[in-house]
Amino acid sequence: MRELSLQQQCEIQGGSFIGTALLYLLLGAGVYKILRSKKGRISIPRLVNLEWRN
């Protein structure tokens, strides 16, 4: 058997650094939008639907 490279190990564990960073960026943008706006909506069809008003 041959050893796996670091990139192959990351793929087996569930993703790469870029994928994880992109996920955190999207979550951060959503939280920022909620905190900075008085009224709005975030929607991902069939998963998440948030509406708020201050």
Side-chain angles (χ1 to χ4, degrees):
M1 292 179 74
R2 66 180 179 91
E3 293 184 18
L4 297 175
S5 69
L6 183 58
Q7 181 180 0
Q8 290 169 329
Q9 291 176 18
C10 288
E11 289 172 0
I12 290 172
Q13 290 179 354
S16 66
F17 173 74
I18 294 172
T20 304
L22 184 60
L23 178 63
Y24 285 143
L25 182 68
L26 291 173
L27 289 173
V31 169
Y32 179 79
K33 181 177 180 180
I34 289 171
L35 293 176
R36 299 294 293 170
S37 66
K38 296 189 181 290
K39 177 177 151 183
R41 176 186 302 172
I42 295 178
S43 179
I44 301 173
R46 298 183 184 163
L47 291 177
V48 176
N49 188 12
L50 298 172
E51 290 188 34
W52 64 92
R53 291 182 189 180
N54 285 345

